[in-house]
Amino acid sequence: MIARTDRLPRWLTLAPALVMFGGLTVFPLVELVELSLNDVTYRNGVAEWRWTGLAHYADALQDGLFRAGIGNTLIFAVAAVSMQMVLGFGLALLTSRVVRGQGLYRSVFILPILVPAIVIGAMWKLMLNGDFGIVNQLTDLLGIAPRDWLGEKSTALLSVIVVDIWHWTPFCFLLLLAGLESMPRDVFEAAQIDGARWWSELRHVTLPLMAPMIAVTLLFRLILAFKVFDEVFLLTSGGPGTSTEVVSLTIFRRFFNEGRTGHGAALSIITMLAIVVLVLAAASRVMRRGRPA
């Protein structure tokens, strides 16, 4: 009885956070599900709801633009996040071993993540311009013919991936560096005393200890990568054709440009469920592989 009484202050302490969570997360999600099961039209400023059941979900599976967006989003997320994790972890390892000028290196590495998305879009669109961009000027010095990086189907998605890698690698770097610096030093000292080389230390000590932080970083980046919108919208708007069409851009078109709110809500629900499944699978796989044998 006393134990139950002691729990009351804890629940009262958590109550404001739970109410805020419900208001900002649960309630909008319920509204989104309800919207996906209805058609909403506006007449004279009044919303008229018409029940459609699962019709919007059936239409979503037949949406060719959405299917193209799923494929491009998967390619984008896997390619971009993989490179960001590798580069971020490599930079974190190098920086953690630097004694002098460590603050300067950190400041330089995190600069891209501080730049607003609109500035990144404008800057890289100029750099990748097929007529006067600096990328073509540099490749011309290497004997490579100039090309329209954002205007050709073969290079448009690759260009967007490169921009995202440049933008978000500092995010991975910061989280993984924090993980490296929080690891117990006595474990590494013991490994060095036992004669472990750098590669053995990395494989059998660093990676297993870093597995939780790697999983958390991967989780955050995969979620953000699957929701990518601003970079694609600013650089290519999904073109040429559907070569850079992503799921978020398709939902934006259906929901806002075309006014198909029910269809757009169904696309959102499907995307959210797919992201949850894929992200949890990827994170659990990293955690399993990071555990020592």
Side-chain angles (χ1 to χ4, degrees), residues 83-127:
M83 288 302 300
Q84 289 160 12
M85 292 294 293
V86 172
L87 292 174
F89 189 61
L91 290 174
L93 283 174
L94 293 175
T95 305
S96 65
R97 297 174 182 271
V98 173
V99 178
R100 300 183 58 182
Q102 192 178 78
L104 176 62
Y105 290 121
R106 295 184 185 185
S107 301
V108 172
F109 290 154
I110 67 173
L111 283 178
I113 204 174
L114 302 177
V115 182
I118 186 68
V119 177
I120 291 175
M123 177 179 68
W124 278 93
K125 198 163 189 176
L126 291 174
M127 293 173 60

mmCIF file of all heavy atoms in Angstrom, residues 83-127:
data_model
loop_
_atom_site.group_PDB
_atom_site.id
_atom_site.type_symbol
_atom_site.label_atom_id
_atom_site.label_comp_id
_atom_site.label_asym_id
_atom_site.label_seq_id
_atom_site.Cartn_x
_atom_site.Cartn_y
_atom_site.Cartn_z
ATOM 1 N N MET A 83 27.766 6.366 -45.793
ATOM 2 C CA MET A 83 28.957 7.204 -45.920
ATOM 3 C C MET A 83 29.097 8.157 -44.738
ATOM 4 O O MET A 83 30.205 8.412 -44.258
ATOM 5 C CB MET A 83 28.899 7.989 -47.224
ATOM 6 C CG MET A 83 29.127 7.153 -48.466
ATOM 7 S SD MET A 83 30.730 6.286 -48.434
ATOM 8 C CE MET A 83 31.866 7.672 -48.316
ATOM 9 N N GLN A 84 27.987 8.692 -44.263
ATOM 10 C CA GLN A 84 28.058 9.603 -43.112
ATOM 11 C C GLN A 84 28.552 8.891 -41.871
ATOM 12 O O GLN A 84 29.356 9.457 -41.105
ATOM 13 C CB GLN A 84 26.671 10.210 -42.861
ATOM 14 C CG GLN A 84 26.240 11.214 -43.908
ATOM 15 C CD GLN A 84 24.746 11.436 -43.933
ATOM 16 O OE1 GLN A 84 24.025 11.007 -43.031
ATOM 17 N NE2 GLN A 84 24.264 12.104 -44.957
ATOM 18 N N MET A 85 28.117 7.649 -41.657
ATOM 19 C CA MET A 85 28.561 6.901 -40.485
ATOM 20 C C MET A 85 30.051 6.581 -40.589
ATOM 21 O O MET A 85 30.797 6.717 -39.608
ATOM 22 C CB MET A 85 27.747 5.617 -40.356
ATOM 23 C CG MET A 85 26.280 5.821 -40.018
ATOM 24 S SD MET A 85 26.004 6.511 -38.379
ATOM 25 C CE MET A 85 26.572 5.182 -37.334
ATOM 26 N N VAL A 86 30.488 6.160 -41.768
ATOM 27 C CA VAL A 86 31.904 5.812 -41.953
ATOM 28 C C VAL A 86 32.783 7.061 -41.803
ATOM 29 O O VAL A 86 33.780 7.045 -41.061
ATOM 30 C CB VAL A 86 32.121 5.167 -43.330
ATOM 31 C CG1 VAL A 86 33.613 4.991 -43.608
ATOM 32 C CG2 VAL A 86 31.419 3.814 -43.399
ATOM 33 N N LEU A 87 32.425 8.140 -42.495
ATOM 34 C CA LEU A 87 33.213 9.360 -42.418
ATOM 35 C C LEU A 87 33.162 9.967 -41.016
ATOM 36 O O LEU A 87 34.180 10.419 -40.489
ATOM 37 C CB LEU A 87 32.721 10.374 -43.446
ATOM 38 C CG LEU A 87 32.952 10.021 -44.916
ATOM 39 C CD1 LEU A 87 32.288 11.051 -45.825
ATOM 40 C CD2 LEU A 87 34.449 9.930 -45.219
ATOM 41 N N GLY A 88 31.972 9.978 -40.413
ATOM 42 C CA GLY A 88 31.843 10.538 -39.073
ATOM 43 C C GLY A 88 32.653 9.767 -38.051
ATOM 44 O O GLY A 88 33.314 10.361 -37.187
ATOM 45 N N PHE A 89 32.638 8.436 -38.152
ATOM 46 C CA PHE A 89 33.395 7.612 -37.209
ATOM 47 C C PHE A 89 34.894 7.782 -37.446
ATOM 48 O O PHE A 89 35.681 7.858 -36.492
ATOM 49 C CB PHE A 89 32.998 6.151 -37.363
ATOM 50 C CG PHE A 89 33.555 5.257 -36.294
ATOM 51 C CD1 PHE A 89 33.226 5.460 -34.969
ATOM 52 C CD2 PHE A 89 34.405 4.210 -36.616
ATOM 53 C CE1 PHE A 89 33.740 4.635 -33.979
ATOM 54 C CE2 PHE A 89 34.924 3.389 -35.636
ATOM 55 C CZ PHE A 89 34.586 3.599 -34.307
ATOM 56 N N GLY A 90 35.295 7.862 -38.713
ATOM 57 C CA GLY A 90 36.707 8.072 -39.014
ATOM 58 C C GLY A 90 37.210 9.401 -38.488
ATOM 59 O O GLY A 90 38.294 9.480 -37.876
ATOM 60 N N LEU A 91 36.440 10.467 -38.702
ATOM 61 C CA LEU A 91 36.832 11.786 -38.191
ATOM 62 C C LEU A 91 36.858 11.796 -36.659
ATOM 63 O O LEU A 91 37.724 12.425 -36.048
ATOM 64 C CB LEU A 91 35.868 12.852 -38.699
ATOM 65 C CG LEU A 91 35.933 13.173 -40.197
ATOM 66 C CD1 LEU A 91 34.819 14.136 -40.590
ATOM 67 C CD2 LEU A 91 37.292 13.762 -40.565
ATOM 68 N N ALA A 92 35.896 11.099 -36.047
ATOM 69 C CA ALA A 92 35.869 11.038 -34.588
ATOM 70 C C ALA A 92 37.098 10.313 -34.044
ATOM 71 O O ALA A 92 37.697 10.734 -33.048
ATOM 72 C CB ALA A 92 34.585 10.346 -34.123
ATOM 73 N N LEU A 93 37.500 9.206 -34.690
ATOM 74 C CA LEU A 93 38.700 8.487 -34.258
ATOM 75 C C LEU A 93 39.942 9.359 -34.371
ATOM 76 O O LEU A 93 40.779 9.398 -33.462
ATOM 77 C CB LEU A 93 38.875 7.215 -35.100
ATOM 78 C CG LEU A 93 37.987 6.018 -34.759
ATOM 79 C CD1 LEU A 93 38.205 4.912 -35.780
ATOM 80 C CD2 LEU A 93 38.279 5.511 -33.355
ATOM 81 N N LEU A 94 40.067 10.057 -35.506
ATOM 82 C CA LEU A 94 41.240 10.912 -35.705
ATOM 83 C C LEU A 94 41.266 12.060 -34.703
ATOM 84 O O LEU A 94 42.312 12.377 -34.130
ATOM 85 C CB LEU A 94 41.250 11.448 -37.139
ATOM 86 C CG LEU A 94 41.465 10.422 -38.252
ATOM 87 C CD1 LEU A 94 41.317 11.077 -39.617
ATOM 88 C CD2 LEU A 94 42.845 9.773 -38.117
ATOM 89 N N THR A 95 40.113 12.695 -34.496
ATOM 90 C CA THR A 95 40.059 13.846 -33.597
ATOM 91 C C THR A 95 40.305 13.437 -32.153
ATOM 92 O O THR A 95 40.922 14.182 -31.381
ATOM 93 C CB THR A 95 38.686 14.537 -33.714
ATOM 94 O OG1 THR A 95 38.441 14.871 -35.083
ATOM 95 C CG2 THR A 95 38.654 15.819 -32.896
ATOM 96 N N SER A 96 39.827 12.254 -31.756
ATOM 97 C CA SER A 96 40.017 11.810 -30.375
ATOM 98 C C SER A 96 41.487 11.560 -30.051
ATOM 99 O O SER A 96 41.866 11.560 -28.872
ATOM 100 C CB SER A 96 39.206 10.542 -30.112
ATOM 101 O OG SER A 96 39.691 9.463 -30.900
ATOM 102 N N ARG A 97 42.307 11.362 -31.081
ATOM 103 C CA ARG A 97 43.735 11.110 -30.863
ATOM 104 C C ARG A 97 44.578 12.371 -30.958
ATOM 105 O O ARG A 97 45.782 12.332 -30.717
ATOM 106 C CB ARG A 97 44.238 10.073 -31.882
ATOM 107 C CG ARG A 97 43.573 8.709 -31.735
ATOM 108 C CD ARG A 97 43.971 7.756 -32.832
ATOM 109 N NE ARG A 97 43.288 6.468 -32.703
ATOM 110 C CZ ARG A 97 43.746 5.442 -32.000
ATOM 111 N NH1 ARG A 97 44.904 5.538 -31.370
ATOM 112 N NH2 ARG A 97 43.075 4.316 -31.932
ATOM 113 N N VAL A 98 43.935 13.478 -31.335
ATOM 114 C CA VAL A 98 44.652 14.742 -31.450
ATOM 115 C C VAL A 98 44.713 15.410 -30.086
ATOM 116 O O VAL A 98 43.705 15.479 -29.368
ATOM 117 C CB VAL A 98 43.956 15.677 -32.471
ATOM 118 C CG1 VAL A 98 44.592 17.060 -32.459
ATOM 119 C CG2 VAL A 98 44.038 15.071 -33.865
ATOM 120 N N VAL A 99 45.882 15.915 -29.731
ATOM 121 C CA VAL A 99 46.057 16.579 -28.441
ATOM 122 C C VAL A 99 45.998 18.094 -28.615
ATOM 123 O O VAL A 99 45.243 18.790 -27.927
ATOM 124 C CB VAL A 99 47.393 16.169 -27.793
ATOM 125 C CG1 VAL A 99 47.574 16.900 -26.467
ATOM 126 C CG2 VAL A 99 47.445 14.651 -27.587
ATOM 127 N N ARG A 100 46.754 18.615 -29.554
ATOM 128 C CA ARG A 100 46.789 20.061 -29.769
ATOM 129 C C ARG A 100 45.834 20.449 -30.895
ATOM 130 O O ARG A 100 45.760 19.778 -31.923
ATOM 131 C CB ARG A 100 48.213 20.513 -30.116
ATOM 132 C CG ARG A 100 49.235 20.214 -29.029
ATOM 133 C CD ARG A 100 50.598 20.752 -29.401
ATOM 134 N NE ARG A 100 50.570 22.183 -29.631
ATOM 135 C CZ ARG A 100 51.622 22.907 -30.013
ATOM 136 N NH1 ARG A 100 52.788 22.300 -30.217
ATOM 137 N NH2 ARG A 100 51.522 24.199 -30.186
ATOM 138 N N GLY A 101 45.121 21.549 -30.693
ATOM 139 C CA GLY A 101 44.216 22.051 -31.723
ATOM 140 C C GLY A 101 42.939 21.254 -31.875
ATOM 141 O O GLY A 101 42.274 21.342 -32.912
ATOM 142 N N GLN A 102 42.565 20.483 -30.850
ATOM 143 C CA GLN A 102 41.370 19.650 -30.955
ATOM 144 C C GLN A 102 40.105 20.495 -31.109
ATOM 145 O O GLN A 102 39.210 20.168 -31.900
ATOM 146 C CB GLN A 102 41.256 18.758 -29.715
ATOM 147 C CG GLN A 102 40.226 17.652 -29.849
ATOM 148 C CD GLN A 102 40.184 16.753 -28.622
ATOM 149 O OE1 GLN A 102 39.608 17.131 -27.610
ATOM 150 N NE2 GLN A 102 40.808 15.587 -28.711
ATOM 151 N N GLY A 103 40.057 21.618 -30.386
ATOM 152 C CA GLY A 103 38.898 22.501 -30.488
ATOM 153 C C GLY A 103 38.745 23.097 -31.882
ATOM 154 O O GLY A 103 37.631 23.249 -32.383
ATOM 155 N N LEU A 104 39.875 23.422 -32.519
ATOM 156 C CA LEU A 104 39.831 23.980 -33.870
ATOM 157 C C LEU A 104 39.297 22.965 -34.867
ATOM 158 O O LEU A 104 38.453 23.289 -35.710
ATOM 159 C CB LEU A 104 41.237 24.428 -34.282
ATOM 160 C CG LEU A 104 41.380 24.946 -35.725
ATOM 161 C CD1 LEU A 104 40.518 26.188 -35.937
ATOM 162 C CD2 LEU A 104 42.846 25.244 -36.035
ATOM 163 N N TYR A 105 39.775 21.729 -34.762
ATOM 164 C CA TYR A 105 39.296 20.681 -35.673
ATOM 165 C C TYR A 105 37.799 20.453 -35.509
ATOM 166 O O TYR A 105 37.064 20.302 -36.489
ATOM 167 C CB TYR A 105 40.058 19.373 -35.424
ATOM 168 C CG TYR A 105 41.497 19.413 -35.865
ATOM 169 C CD1 TYR A 105 42.533 19.190 -34.970
ATOM 170 C CD2 TYR A 105 41.819 19.676 -37.194
ATOM 171 C CE1 TYR A 105 43.859 19.220 -35.377
ATOM 172 C CE2 TYR A 105 43.142 19.719 -37.609
ATOM 173 C CZ TYR A 105 44.155 19.490 -36.698
ATOM 174 O OH TYR A 105 45.463 19.538 -37.100
ATOM 175 N N ARG A 106 37.340 20.420 -34.269
ATOM 176 C CA ARG A 106 35.908 20.205 -34.034
ATOM 177 C C ARG A 106 35.083 21.335 -34.636
ATOM 178 O O ARG A 106 34.034 21.097 -35.240
ATOM 179 C CB ARG A 106 35.635 20.103 -32.536
ATOM 180 C CG ARG A 106 36.270 18.903 -31.872
ATOM 181 C CD ARG A 106 35.870 18.825 -30.414
ATOM 182 N NE ARG A 106 36.565 17.746 -29.726
ATOM 183 C CZ ARG A 106 36.336 17.394 -28.473
ATOM 184 N NH1 ARG A 106 35.417 18.031 -27.774
ATOM 185 N NH2 ARG A 106 37.006 16.406 -27.919
ATOM 186 N N SER A 107 35.536 22.560 -34.464
ATOM 187 C CA SER A 107 34.799 23.714 -34.991
ATOM 188 C C SER A 107 34.710 23.657 -36.507
ATOM 189 O O SER A 107 33.659 23.958 -37.087
ATOM 190 C CB SER A 107 35.475 25.018 -34.549
ATOM 191 O OG SER A 107 35.536 25.108 -33.145
ATOM 192 N N VAL A 108 35.803 23.274 -37.162
ATOM 193 C CA VAL A 108 35.805 23.197 -38.619
ATOM 194 C C VAL A 108 34.891 22.087 -39.110
ATOM 195 O O VAL A 108 34.130 22.264 -40.071
ATOM 196 C CB VAL A 108 37.245 22.988 -39.143
ATOM 197 C CG1 VAL A 108 37.236 22.708 -40.647
ATOM 198 C CG2 VAL A 108 38.094 24.208 -38.839
ATOM 199 N N PHE A 109 34.931 20.941 -38.439
ATOM 200 C CA PHE A 109 34.157 19.783 -38.893
ATOM 201 C C PHE A 109 32.650 20.005 -38.766
ATOM 202 O O PHE A 109 31.876 19.439 -39.545
ATOM 203 C CB PHE A 109 34.560 18.528 -38.114
ATOM 204 C CG PHE A 109 35.931 18.023 -38.448
ATOM 205 C CD1 PHE A 109 36.666 17.275 -37.536
ATOM 206 C CD2 PHE A 109 36.503 18.291 -39.680
ATOM 207 C CE1 PHE A 109 37.930 16.805 -37.844
ATOM 208 C CE2 PHE A 109 37.767 17.834 -40.000
ATOM 209 C CZ PHE A 109 38.492 17.088 -39.085
ATOM 210 N N ILE A 110 32.209 20.801 -37.779
ATOM 211 C CA ILE A 110 30.766 20.959 -37.559
ATOM 212 C C ILE A 110 30.185 22.139 -38.335
ATOM 213 O O ILE A 110 28.970 22.364 -38.277
ATOM 214 C CB ILE A 110 30.445 21.128 -36.060
ATOM 215 C CG1 ILE A 110 30.997 22.452 -35.530
ATOM 216 C CG2 ILE A 110 30.950 19.946 -35.268
ATOM 217 C CD1 ILE A 110 30.551 22.743 -34.107
ATOM 218 N N LEU A 111 30.995 22.870 -39.085
ATOM 219 C CA LEU A 111 30.481 24.030 -39.817
ATOM 220 C C LEU A 111 29.327 23.691 -40.769
ATOM 221 O O LEU A 111 28.339 24.432 -40.810
ATOM 222 C CB LEU A 111 31.621 24.712 -40.588
ATOM 223 C CG LEU A 111 32.586 25.578 -39.766
ATOM 224 C CD1 LEU A 111 33.682 26.137 -40.656
ATOM 225 C CD2 LEU A 111 31.826 26.709 -39.082
ATOM 226 N N PRO A 112 29.395 22.613 -41.563
ATOM 227 C CA PRO A 112 28.289 22.354 -42.501
ATOM 228 C C PRO A 112 26.927 22.202 -41.845
ATOM 229 O O PRO A 112 25.915 22.605 -42.415
ATOM 230 C CB PRO A 112 28.715 21.047 -43.183
ATOM 231 C CG PRO A 112 30.201 21.041 -43.089
ATOM 232 C CD PRO A 112 30.504 21.665 -41.761
ATOM 233 N N ILE A 113 26.881 21.633 -40.642
ATOM 234 C CA ILE A 113 25.588 21.404 -40.001
ATOM 235 C C ILE A 113 24.981 22.700 -39.477
ATOM 236 O O ILE A 113 23.783 22.768 -39.168
ATOM 237 C CB ILE A 113 25.735 20.368 -38.859
ATOM 238 C CG1 ILE A 113 24.395 19.686 -38.590
ATOM 239 C CG2 ILE A 113 26.245 21.010 -37.591
ATOM 240 C CD1 ILE A 113 24.466 18.572 -37.589
ATOM 241 N N LEU A 114 25.781 23.760 -39.397
ATOM 242 C CA LEU A 114 25.295 25.054 -38.915
ATOM 243 C C LEU A 114 24.691 25.903 -40.020
ATOM 244 O O LEU A 114 24.049 26.909 -39.745
ATOM 245 C CB LEU A 114 26.442 25.827 -38.240
ATOM 246 C CG LEU A 114 27.137 25.127 -37.064
ATOM 247 C CD1 LEU A 114 28.284 25.984 -36.545
ATOM 248 C CD2 LEU A 114 26.146 24.821 -35.956
ATOM 249 N N VAL A 115 24.900 25.497 -41.275
ATOM 250 C CA VAL A 115 24.418 26.288 -42.412
ATOM 251 C C VAL A 115 22.939 25.978 -42.642
ATOM 252 O O VAL A 115 22.551 24.804 -42.707
ATOM 253 C CB VAL A 115 25.229 25.958 -43.680
ATOM 254 C CG1 VAL A 115 24.760 26.823 -44.853
ATOM 255 C CG2 VAL A 115 26.713 26.184 -43.422
ATOM 256 N N PRO A 116 22.081 27.003 -42.777
ATOM 257 C CA PRO A 116 20.649 26.757 -43.037
ATOM 258 C C PRO A 116 20.435 26.016 -44.351
ATOM 259 O O PRO A 116 21.218 26.152 -45.298
ATOM 260 C CB PRO A 116 20.055 28.169 -43.092
ATOM 261 C CG PRO A 116 21.028 29.031 -42.358
ATOM 262 C CD PRO A 116 22.376 28.428 -42.588
ATOM 263 N N ALA A 117 19.360 25.237 -44.408
ATOM 264 C CA ALA A 117 19.081 24.407 -45.583
ATOM 265 C C ALA A 117 18.916 25.246 -46.846
ATOM 266 O O ALA A 117 19.367 24.849 -47.928
ATOM 267 C CB ALA A 117 17.828 23.571 -45.335
ATOM 268 N N ILE A 118 18.276 26.403 -46.734
ATOM 269 C CA ILE A 118 18.059 27.244 -47.911
ATOM 270 C C ILE A 118 19.383 27.729 -48.485
ATOM 271 O O ILE A 118 19.560 27.829 -49.704
ATOM 272 C CB ILE A 118 17.134 28.436 -47.556
ATOM 273 C CG1 ILE A 118 16.789 29.240 -48.795
ATOM 274 C CG2 ILE A 118 17.759 29.304 -46.490
ATOM 275 C CD1 ILE A 118 15.919 28.526 -49.767
ATOM 276 N N VAL A 119 20.340 28.006 -47.599
ATOM 277 C CA VAL A 119 21.669 28.446 -48.051
ATOM 278 C C VAL A 119 22.413 27.284 -48.704
ATOM 279 O O VAL A 119 23.080 27.455 -49.731
ATOM 280 C CB VAL A 119 22.474 29.022 -46.868
ATOM 281 C CG1 VAL A 119 23.878 29.416 -47.316
ATOM 282 C CG2 VAL A 119 21.750 30.221 -46.271
ATOM 283 N N ILE A 120 22.291 26.108 -48.128
ATOM 284 C CA ILE A 120 22.939 24.926 -48.711
ATOM 285 C C ILE A 120 22.404 24.658 -50.111
ATOM 286 O O ILE A 120 23.158 24.371 -51.042
ATOM 287 C CB ILE A 120 22.713 23.709 -47.800
ATOM 288 C CG1 ILE A 120 23.491 23.872 -46.489
ATOM 289 C CG2 ILE A 120 23.142 22.415 -48.498
ATOM 290 C CD1 ILE A 120 23.233 22.776 -45.492
ATOM 291 N N GLY A 121 21.075 24.746 -50.264
ATOM 292 C CA GLY A 121 20.476 24.520 -51.574
ATOM 293 C C GLY A 121 20.980 25.506 -52.612
ATOM 294 O O GLY A 121 21.350 25.115 -53.737
ATOM 295 N N ALA A 122 21.007 26.787 -52.258
ATOM 296 C CA ALA A 122 21.466 27.811 -53.202
ATOM 297 C C ALA A 122 22.949 27.646 -53.521
ATOM 298 O O ALA A 122 23.365 27.748 -54.685
ATOM 299 C CB ALA A 122 21.191 29.200 -52.624
ATOM 300 N N MET A 123 23.744 27.370 -52.495
ATOM 301 C CA MET A 123 25.192 27.251 -52.673
ATOM 302 C C MET A 123 25.544 26.069 -53.570
ATOM 303 O O MET A 123 26.308 26.201 -54.544
ATOM 304 C CB MET A 123 25.857 27.102 -51.308
ATOM 305 C CG MET A 123 27.364 26.904 -51.349
ATOM 306 S SD MET A 123 28.033 26.774 -49.678
ATOM 307 C CE MET A 123 27.319 25.201 -49.154
ATOM 308 N N TRP A 124 24.986 24.909 -53.283
ATOM 309 C CA TRP A 124 25.322 23.721 -54.069
ATOM 310 C C TRP A 124 24.691 23.747 -55.456
ATOM 311 O O TRP A 124 25.227 23.163 -56.390
ATOM 312 C CB TRP A 124 24.890 22.462 -53.319
ATOM 313 C CG TRP A 124 25.898 22.043 -52.294
ATOM 314 C CD1 TRP A 124 25.928 22.372 -50.973
ATOM 315 C CD2 TRP A 124 27.065 21.244 -52.527
ATOM 316 N NE1 TRP A 124 27.016 21.818 -50.354
ATOM 317 C CE2 TRP A 124 27.739 21.113 -51.298
ATOM 318 C CE3 TRP A 124 27.599 20.617 -53.651
ATOM 319 C CZ2 TRP A 124 28.916 20.384 -51.158
ATOM 320 C CZ3 TRP A 124 28.770 19.885 -53.510
ATOM 321 C CH2 TRP A 124 29.412 19.779 -52.282
ATOM 322 N N LYS A 125 23.572 24.429 -55.604
ATOM 323 C CA LYS A 125 22.981 24.544 -56.935
ATOM 324 C C LYS A 125 23.885 25.359 -57.848
ATOM 325 O O LYS A 125 24.012 25.069 -59.042
ATOM 326 C CB LYS A 125 21.597 25.188 -56.848
ATOM 327 C CG LYS A 125 20.736 24.950 -58.079
ATOM 328 C CD LYS A 125 19.278 25.238 -57.789
ATOM 329 C CE LYS A 125 18.404 24.792 -58.960
ATOM 330 N NZ LYS A 125 16.965 24.966 -58.668
ATOM 331 N N LEU A 126 24.529 26.377 -57.290
ATOM 332 C CA LEU A 126 25.498 27.161 -58.065
ATOM 333 C C LEU A 126 26.759 26.347 -58.340
ATOM 334 O O LEU A 126 27.299 26.370 -59.448
ATOM 335 C CB LEU A 126 25.851 28.442 -57.307
ATOM 336 C CG LEU A 126 24.746 29.497 -57.200
ATOM 337 C CD1 LEU A 126 25.192 30.630 -56.291
ATOM 338 C CD2 LEU A 126 24.392 30.037 -58.585
ATOM 339 N N MET A 127 27.229 25.609 -57.334
ATOM 340 C CA MET A 127 28.451 24.826 -57.500
ATOM 341 C C MET A 127 28.287 23.703 -58.528
ATOM 342 O O MET A 127 29.214 23.369 -59.255
ATOM 343 C CB MET A 127 28.885 24.247 -56.152
ATOM 344 C CG MET A 127 29.333 25.283 -55.142
ATOM 345 S SD MET A 127 29.651 24.578 -53.505
ATOM 346 C CE MET A 127 30.949 23.411 -53.870
#
